[in-house]
Amino acid sequence: MPRSLQMRQTKQQLRQKFIRERAALPGDMRLLADKKILSNFLEEFGGAGSYFIYHSFNAEADTSALISALLGCGRAVYLPRVEGDDMVAVPYGPLKEGRFGIPEPCGEAYRGDIEVTVAPLLAVGADGVRLGYGGGYYDRYFARAHTLRVGIGYDFQFTEELFSEVWDMPLDAFVSESGVRRFVR
């Protein structure tokens, strides 16, 4: 079997594994972890002026309290919207259901730099490589954006099982309930 096909199968297996583990996290533990993630994120990255943040859905680490906290401090907050094969940043505002069933902002895309991008993930490796859902939207965005790349998730989402591919754009940091891990790029 060709190596690229083996890697795709392995990544798909890892995606399924972490989706199951994330879904199995009990609600009370999830709430506590989300509060700690929020506190750790704000302590480490709360001083920036602009943020591009995913709108959490399903069992992803919650971003609603983070978005509210940042807006409450007068920070500029942008949410992702898929346009064709790319993802654009749109100022926080009214939402509608997007292509993947994820709420997306209406309005005009913002084309300037954003200081901090908060990316969703299924897992993250020791070198900062992020395992996403397989669409490549964040990798393509990171390839063209000048931004601090931060993933948020739960402790168990940090793994040694990941490998990088040439198109993977590693994170600068990972925030979980136990703290912040920084990666060297």
Side-chain angles (χ1 to χ4, degrees):
M1 177 181 314
R3 179 160 165 69
S4 62
L5 182 57
Q6 285 177 317
M7 290 186 340
R8 277 195 302 273
Q9 287 176 342
T10 302
K11 274 193 169 183
Q12 191 56 33
Q13 290 166 343
L14 287 171
R15 283 187 184 98
Q16 294 308 314
K17 172 188 171 186
F18 284 103
I19 286 171
R20 282 190 307 274
E21 287 182 20
R22 198 175 61 186
L25 187 63
D28 57 337
M29 291 177 69
R30 180 183 307 281
L31 289 173
L32 182 60
D34 285 339
K35 286 180 184 178
K36 288 180 179 177
I37 291 168
L38 172 64
S39 175
N40 291 337
F41 182 90
L42 291 174
E43 185 176 320
E44 190 77 15
F45 303 108
S50 58
Y51 298 84
F52 183 33
I53 304 175
Y54 73 94
H55 187 285
S56 56
F57 80 111
N58 288 339
E60 291 176 330
D62 181 52
T63 58
S64 60
L66 177 57
I67 291 168
S68 293
L70 293 170
L71 288 170
C73 292
R75 305 299 197 261
V77 175
Y78 303 87
L79 298 179
R81 182 174 65 214
V82 173
E83 293 183 353
D85 288 336
D86 288 319
M87 180 178 68
V88 296
V90 179
Y92 183 83
L95 304 173
K96 64 177 179 135
E97 187 173 314
R99 186 160 125 195
F100 300 106
I102 303 168
E104 293 183 335
C106 305
E108 294 296 316
Y110 176 74
R111 303 293 179 192
D113 288 334
I114 298 173
E115 290 176 72
V116 179
T117 296
V118 179
L121 53 83
L122 290 168
V124 63
D127 58 357
V129 170
R130 173 188 153 275
L131 178 66
Y133 295 96
Y137 293 98
Y138 279 88
D139 289 321
R140 287 190 294 278
Y141 176 78
F142 286 150
R144 68 179 191 275
H146 299 325
T147 186
L148 185 70
R149 306 168 189 172
V150 180
I152 65 172
Y154 305 109
D155 285 336
F156 68 83
Q157 291 176 278
F158 182 81
T159 182
E160 299 292 333
E161 296 179 73
L162 288 183
F163 53 88
S164 64
E165 298 182 81
V166 295
W167 56 81
D168 287 330
M169 302 297 291
L171 298 172
D172 295 302
F174 172 60
V175 180
S176 70
E177 64 269 32
S178 64
V180 177
R181 289 181 190 260
R182 290 198 174 262
F183 307 107
V184 178
R185 284 202 264 153

